[in-house]
Amino acid sequence: MTPAADAVAPARHRLGSTAPVRAVLLDRDGTIVVDVPYNGDPERVRPVPGARAALDRLRDAGLALGVVSNQSGIGRGRLTRGQVTAVNARAEELLGPFGTWQVCPHAPEDGCPCRKPAPGLVLAAAAALGVAPAECVVVGDIGADVGAAVAAGARAVLVPTPVTRPEEVATAARMPGVVVVTDLAAAAEHVLDLVGDPAAVDAGHGTPGDPDHPTALAARPEAAR
């Protein structure tokens, strides 16, 4: 695990929606593995259905992959860095290799520049992979993932789960450079479409339901991430 550099200052960068896509940065909990709050046990890691196949499609297309994950359990004293590293290692065993792991260990009240929706994790991951932020697509399940992407100048794909707030879905569906899809397989398909046509991002807006009435999604409680 390579923690995001604390020295990365928050900044808003221009969204480069026509830049070539060279990397995909994925949230961990709820996006590529089933969300288990404050999980420090590698044996409890379970991939999201279809995750390995979706990730392998991206790898086969020559895209670099990284993980950007808030892990406030470290800052809250509920997890150790070693436990998070062990969980990440198990995720790699199940899902294949990632070029970088960028983890924010801070609690929300710390005001750090790396906790999503701040852009620090995305900027650090892009630097570690040797690409520009505008050449990245961030895939996640909550508004903080989208916010971090937009703040860093990357594109974003929101994959809602039952804990995604309805307002996060509705807002994401209206944002330039952001699309909403039903699952990780659809996210991979969209990214591959972007590889073929970087300008396709604004043509792919959509939600699992009506973006103006996303009542099927339950409100998310205060995050354990």
Coordinates of all heavy atoms in Angstrom, one line a residue, residues 2-10 101-106 112-115 119-121 123-125 127:
T2 N 0.6 2.2 -0.9 CA 1.3 3.5 -0.9 C 0.3 4.6 -0.5 O -0.5 5.0 -1.3 CB 1.8 3.7 -2.3 OG1 2.6 2.7 -2.8 CG2 2.6 5.0 -2.3
P3 N 0.4 5.1 0.8 CA -0.5 6.1 1.2 C -0.3 7.4 0.4 O 0.7 7.7 -0.1 CB -0.1 6.3 2.7 CG 0.6 5.1 3.1 CD 1.3 4.6 1.9
A4 N -1.4 8.1 0.2 CA -1.3 9.3 -0.6 C -0.5 10.3 0.2 O -0.5 10.4 1.4 CB -2.7 9.9 -0.7
A5 N 0.3 11.0 -0.5 CA 1.2 12.0 0.1 C 0.4 13.1 0.8 O -0.5 13.7 0.2 CB 2.1 12.6 -0.9
D6 N 0.7 13.3 2.1 CA 0.0 14.3 2.8 C 0.2 15.7 2.3 O -0.5 16.7 2.6 CB 0.3 14.3 4.3 CG -0.2 13.0 5.0 OD1 -1.0 12.4 4.4 OD2 0.3 12.7 6.1
A7 N 1.3 15.9 1.6 CA 1.7 17.2 1.1 C 0.9 17.6 -0.1 O 1.0 18.8 -0.6 CB 3.2 17.2 0.7
V8 N 0.1 16.7 -0.7 CA -0.7 17.1 -1.9 C -1.8 18.1 -1.5 O -2.6 17.8 -0.6 CB -1.4 15.9 -2.5 CG1 -2.3 16.3 -3.6 CG2 -0.3 14.9 -3.0
A9 N -1.7 19.3 -2.1 CA -2.7 20.3 -1.7 C -4.0 20.2 -2.5 O -3.9 19.8 -3.6 CB -2.1 21.7 -1.9
P10 N -5.1 20.5 -1.9 CA -6.4 20.4 -2.6 C -6.4 21.5 -3.7 O -6.0 22.6 -3.5 CB -7.4 20.6 -1.5 CG -6.7 21.4 -0.5 CD -5.3 20.9 -0.5
W101 N -2.0 1.7 -4.8 CA -3.0 1.8 -3.8 C -2.8 3.1 -3.1 O -1.7 3.3 -2.5 CB -2.9 0.6 -2.8 CG -3.4 -0.7 -3.3 CD1 -2.7 -1.6 -4.0 CD2 -4.7 -1.3 -3.1 NE1 -3.5 -2.7 -4.3 CE2 -4.7 -2.5 -3.7 CE3 -5.8 -0.9 -2.4 CZ2 -5.8 -3.4 -3.7 CZ3 -6.9 -1.7 -2.3 CH2 -6.9 -3.0 -3.0
Q102 N -3.8 4.0 -3.1 CA -3.7 5.2 -2.4 C -4.8 5.3 -1.4 O -5.9 5.1 -1.7 CB -3.8 6.4 -3.4 CG -2.7 6.5 -4.5 CD -1.4 6.8 -3.9 OE1 -1.2 7.4 -2.9 NE2 -0.3 6.4 -4.6
V103 N -4.3 5.4 -0.1 CA -5.2 5.3 1.0 C -5.2 6.5 1.9 O -4.1 7.0 2.2 CB -4.9 4.1 1.9 CG1 -5.7 4.0 3.1 CG2 -5.1 2.8 1.0
C104 N -6.3 7.1 2.2 CA -6.4 8.2 3.2 C -6.7 7.6 4.5 O -7.7 7.0 4.7 CB -7.5 9.2 2.8 SG -7.8 10.4 4.1
P105 N -5.8 7.8 5.5 CA -5.9 7.2 6.8 C -6.6 8.1 7.8 O -6.8 7.8 9.0 CB -4.5 6.9 7.3 CG -3.7 8.1 6.7 CD -4.4 8.4 5.4
H106 N -7.0 9.3 7.4 CA -7.5 10.3 8.3 C -8.9 10.3 8.6 O -9.7 9.8 7.8 CB -7.2 11.7 7.7 CG -5.7 11.9 7.3 ND1 -5.3 11.9 6.0 CD2 -4.7 12.1 8.1 CE1 -4.0 12.1 6.0 NE2 -3.6 12.2 7.3
C112 N -7.8 16.8 6.0 CA -6.7 16.5 5.2 C -7.0 16.8 3.7 O -8.1 16.9 3.3 CB -6.3 15.1 5.4 SG -7.5 13.9 4.7
P113 N -5.9 16.9 2.9 CA -6.2 17.1 1.5 C -6.4 15.8 0.7 O -6.6 15.9 -0.6 CB -4.9 17.8 1.0 CG -3.8 17.2 1.9 CD -4.5 17.0 3.2
C114 N -6.4 14.7 1.3 CA -6.5 13.4 0.6 C -7.8 12.7 0.7 O -8.2 11.9 -0.1 CB -5.4 12.5 0.9 SG -5.1 12.1 2.7
R115 N -8.6 13.0 1.8 CA -9.8 12.3 2.0 C -10.8 12.8 0.9 O -11.2 14.0 0.8 CB -10.4 12.6 3.4 CG -11.7 11.9 3.7 CD -12.2 12.1 5.1 NE -13.6 11.7 5.3 CZ -13.9 10.4 5.4 NH1 -13.0 9.5 5.5 NH2 -15.2 10.0 5.6
P119 N -9.2 16.1 -3.7 CA -8.6 15.5 -4.9 C -7.3 14.7 -4.6 O -6.8 14.1 -5.5 CB -8.4 16.6 -5.9 CG -8.1 17.8 -5.0 CD -9.0 17.6 -3.8
G120 N -6.8 14.8 -3.4 CA -5.5 14.3 -3.1 C -5.2 12.9 -3.5 O -4.1 12.6 -4.1
L121 N -6.1 11.9 -3.2 CA -5.9 10.5 -3.6 C -5.8 10.4 -5.1 O -5.0 9.6 -5.6 CB -7.0 9.7 -3.1 CG -7.1 9.5 -1.5 CD1 -8.3 8.5 -1.2 CD2 -5.8 8.9 -1.0
L123 N -5.0 12.7 -7.4 CA -3.8 13.3 -7.9 C -2.6 12.4 -7.6 O -1.7 12.2 -8.5 CB -3.6 14.6 -7.3 CG -4.6 15.7 -7.6 CD1 -4.4 17.0 -6.8 CD2 -4.7 16.0 -9.1
A124 N -2.5 11.8 -6.4 CA -1.4 10.9 -6.0 C -1.4 9.7 -6.9 O -0.4 9.2 -7.3 CB -1.5 10.6 -4.5
A125 N -2.6 9.1 -7.1 CA -2.7 7.9 -7.9 C -2.2 8.1 -9.3 O -1.5 7.3 -9.9 CB -4.1 7.3 -7.8
A127 N -0.2 10.4 -10.4 CA 1.2 10.6 -10.4 C 2.0 9.3 -10.3 O 3.0 9.0 -11.0 CB 1.6 11.5 -9.3

